[in-house]
Structures are given as structure tokens and as C-alpha cells.
Amino acid sequence: MASDSDFTYGRHLRLDQILQAQAPVSQSPDEMLFIIQHQTGELWFKLVLAEVDAARESLDAGDARAAGKALRRVARVLDHLVASWDVLRSLDPLDFMSFRGDLGEASGFQSWQYRLVEYAMGNRVLSLRKPHETAPDVLARLDAELARESLYQAALRFLETRLGLALPEAAFAKDQPYARQQEVLDAWLRVYREAAGFPDLFDLAEQLVEIEDRFRCWRFNHVTTVERVIGAKTGTGGTSGVSYLRRMLDVTLFPELWELRTQL
């Protein structure tokens, strides 16, 4: 490690590398906003992944307090990501078109960290590995995530232990999107109906709902931003653009935690 006199703020944060990492490919001054928006998003995704991992490890160890701390941090990071769309929406359609043609097939759809976030949360659509097939190191990361239980499944293991029950193995399938289970719904209903007896489980459930709430807001802001800036055009990566993003609004990560509200 460098001496105290050499270890400066800039050296600690590697600001030279960070501030030189913006390389516009067009002559448009608006491209800088687009680059920085997505670079900061990737940094926040990195922190989300680290905190989700910490939460899973804590739940595996039976430490609900530490898991809750990590999950609360995830929710606050998602607040930043939700608000960040306000900055990108300052691009009007003409601003974006001034450099969009220079982006080629580069697309946010190719963000492997975002795909890891989706997989870690439980939305494990295997076909979405396809954009990363030419990057073996990225595929290895995605496959490593698919080989472990998701955040929600870690919560369900903790739920099993605390309630002294066995949930169906179908709830723990690793290589497919999570599907609603009646036994899981019944278990969470018990937690909510006897909340005073299970404060740790109740808080865990509410923290998960908060995270999905923020994640839904992020997706919604993504849709409206894209529609506001490029309308219904095809995405740069070849996706259907707004119509694809609208379908993502229907994805539910923790279905029983939302359904129970109707049944209480």
C-alpha cells in the first residue's frame, strides 16, 4: 500500500481512470450525458450485486439483521437508479438522434450486470443469455449465478427454518423464473397474520416488497424514457424497443408477497 502522503482521494478512487473512461464516438455534445448515465448505472448495479450477495450469505447463516441491512441498502441504490432517468429524459428526440447512428448495435440490452441483477432476483429467463454468447467470461458469470439459489429462494430457506416447515422443491428450481407456490403463499400469510411472533420474517418480507417496488419503478421509468426519446423505434441492439420493455413491466419477482395483500 502507498504511504499515507501518497494515498490521496484521487488515488483511492482511481479518478484518473474513471474520468478518462468517457470516449464519445460522435461529435454530439449530448453523447457525454448518455455515456455517464450508463456508466454510473453500471456502478450502481455492481453495488446491488454485492449487497444481494451479502444478503443471501446472511440469510444462509440465519442472520436476519445483517440481511436486512444489505436489503435496505439495495432499496436506496434503486432509488438512485430510478431518479437517474430524470437526467436522461433531458435528451429530446433530436439530441439523441444526433449520435444514435454512431452507436451501431451497442445497447443496454447487452448489460451483463443488469442480467445478473435479474437472475439474482429470480427472473431467470435462459434465452436472455444469448446476447452474451460471444463472451465466455460473461457467460461463466451468468451460469454461476444460475447454479445458486436466488435472493428470494434464500429468503424462502430462511422462512422454512423459522417456521419449521418444508416448502416444495419446485420453489427452489434454479434454472428458470420463479413460479408462484401455494405453500409459499400460505407460509407468508401465517407470518403476516402472526406478525408479532415473527418480526424478523415480517421485516424481511417488507424489505423484499420495497426492493421490487423500486425495481418496478426503475423499469417503468425506463419504458417512459425510451418512449419519450425514440418513440416506438426498434432498439439499437435489435430488440423491439418499447414493446419489449412494456412486457417486462408484467414480471413479478416475489409473487406471493404481492398476492397475500389481497388475501389478508
Side-chain angles (χ1 to χ4, degrees):
M1 182 175 174
S3 67
D4 290 344
S5 60
D6 291 334
F7 194 62
T8 63
Y9 172 84
R11 187 167 184 176
H12 184 207
L13 300 182
R14 301 192 179 187
L15 288 181
D16 286 345
Q17 294 96 313
I18 291 173
L19 298 178
Q20 293 176 31
Q22 296 75 44
V25 295
S26 76
Q27 298 302 310
S28 171
D30 294 302
E31 189 187 350
M32 184 64 76
L33 162 60
F34 188 83
I35 291 171
I36 292 175
Q37 166 90 19
H38 288 84
Q39 286 180 335
T40 54
E42 291 292 335
L43 288 173
W44 285 125
F45 288 155
K46 184 173 183 177
L47 182 56
V48 166
L49 290 166
E51 297 297 337
V52 168
D53 278 348
R56 283 188 285 193
E57 290 170 4
S58 296
L59 288 169
D60 290 345
D63 189 344
R65 186 201 64 80
K69 180 179 179 180
L71 294 178
R72 285 189 293 274
R73 187 170 291 166
V74 170
R76 298 292 71 80
V77 172
L78 290 173
D79 282 337
H80 281 283
L81 285 165
V82 170
S84 71
W85 291 112
D86 291 339
V87 181
L88 195 62
R89 280 198 290 269
S90 68
L91 287 176
D92 64 40
L94 298 181
D95 293 335
F96 187 50
M97 293 308 296
S98 70
F99 64 87
R100 186 177 192 248
D102 295 294
L103 301 182
E105 295 184 357
S107 167
F109 192 67
Q110 298 160 346
S111 169
W112 59 265
Q113 282 204 124
Y114 176 72
R115 189 61 51 214
L116 270 180
V117 170
E118 290 266 9
Y119 281 0
M121 296 287 190
N123 185 29
R124 296 180 165 185
V125 179
L126 298 188
S127 63
L128 294 178
R129 293 170 69 257
K130 188 174 180 60
H132 310 288
E133 287 180 344
T134 59
D137 57 330
V138 171
L139 274 185
R141 289 174 183 263
L142 295 175
D143 289 341
E145 176 57 47
L146 292 170
R148 65 187 299 194
E149 293 181 348
S150 69
L151 170 63
Y152 191 44
Q153 289 169 331
L156 296 183
R157 291 294 187 194
F158 185 74
L159 178 68
E160 279 188 320
T161 301
R162 286 286 285 111
L163 296 185
L165 50 77
L167 295 173
E169 279 306 306
F172 300 99
K174 298 175 184 176
D175 59 353
Q176 57 190 275
Y178 179 81
R180 172 210 184 270
Q181 303 290 322
Q182 183 62 44
E183 293 90 336
V184 171
L185 176 60
D186 293 340
W188 284 124
L189 279 169
R190 179 184 171 191
V191 169
Y192 274 71
R193 286 168 176 158
E194 303 173 27
F198 303 107
D200 53 347
L201 289 173
F202 182 84
D203 288 346
L204 172 61
E206 285 296 291
Q207 286 157 11
L208 290 171
V209 169
E210 173 69 9
I211 285 171
E212 182 158 6
D213 184 307
R214 298 292 86 204
F215 205 47
R216 288 182 179 187
C217 290
W218 185 88
R219 285 173 171 159
F220 180 80
N221 275 9
H222 190 182
V223 173
T224 54
T225 299
V226 170
E227 189 168 20
R228 176 170 174 168
V229 176
I230 69 169
K233 292 184 180 72
T234 300
T236 50
T239 70
S240 57
V242 167
S243 63
Y244 168 78
L245 295 174
R246 286 195 182 283
R247 291 197 299 273
M248 293 301 292
L249 295 178
D250 293 330
V251 173
T252 302
L253 299 171
F254 317 131
E256 296 89 359
L257 294 179
W258 295 94
E259 183 178 346
L260 69 82
R261 284 152 163 75
T262 304
Q263 300 199 23
L264 285 174

